Amino acid sequence: MPQIERLFERNRAWADRLKETDPDYFRNLAERRKPEILWIGCADGRALADRVADLPPGEAFVHRNIANMVVPSDLNCLSVLQYAVEVLAVRHIVVCGHYGCGGVRAALAEPLRGPIDGWVDRIRLVRRLHRAELESLEGEARERRLCELNAIEQVRNVADTTIVRDAWAAGAGPDVHGWIYGIDDGLLRPLCVRNRDDDDLRIVRDPG
Ligand code: CO
């Protein structure tokens, strides 16, 4: 684990390394065109969009919070969504959950103290919606399935916003994808997709 003061040294070494291979790297980045993807992911540092999808910097506009939630009263998330849809005109929105998510695990455990409990309540809502299926599973299988179901329900929440609905009604707007990432194997898997021509989301593949 790096000492906090060493991060400036590491930053300088990193910037120098990139400029060695491409002297215009940062200049080009500053002039880069609009991103095509809005990525909504978990705050967990092991599931970073550009790392796991091997995206060049600037390719995705990113919003992150605990357990990749899209909460209709969350001004932060909705502002990001509005900017991405109306100004950047992204072609895709990806809600990416991950296995081993601490927020999802918390929704299966005892209540927490403080504001985080109100946040985890939104994941408990997903748990309640899918109670029958989840109760047929145990332990890690239940937790993994709730990670998947949570990402899928957040795709629904994105599709239910007036921001996305208005864009779709105007004949534009992004496709919305639900994905899940395995911290333990480094792989991304598709879960579902919703686009403006479908009445409901389509399950792409049941990862089992
Ligand atoms: Co997480």
Side-chain angles (χ1 to χ4, degrees), residues 69 103-104 106-112 116-130 146 150:
M69 304 298 287
V104 169
L108 290 163
E110 297 300 309
L112 301 161
I116 198 171
D117 195 63
W119 191 257
V120 170
D121 241 355
R122 310 298 306 195
I123 315 170
R124 294 189 187 108
L125 194 66
V126 177
R127 183 187 172 185
R128 276 200 295 280
L129 276 172
H130 297 275
L146 185 52
N150 186 53

Side-chain angles (χ1 to χ4, degrees), residues 102-160:
V104 169
R105 191 170 298 153
L108 290 163
E110 297 300 309
L112 301 161
R113 283 166 53 85
I116 198 171
D117 195 63
W119 191 257
V120 170
D121 241 355
R122 310 298 306 195
I123 315 170
R124 294 189 187 108
L125 194 66
V126 177
R127 183 187 172 185
R128 276 200 295 280
L129 276 172
H130 297 275
R131 188 161 61 189
E133 181 184 353
L134 290 166
E135 279 182 0
S136 72
L137 301 167
E138 279 179 35
E140 201 189 330
R142 179 185 290 176
E143 190 188 299
R144 285 172 74 89
R145 186 60 182 147
L146 185 52
C147 290
E148 294 168 359
L149 292 169
N150 186 53
I152 291 169
E153 290 302 329
Q154 304 320 308
V155 168
R156 284 189 207 281
N157 288 346
V158 170
D160 283 344

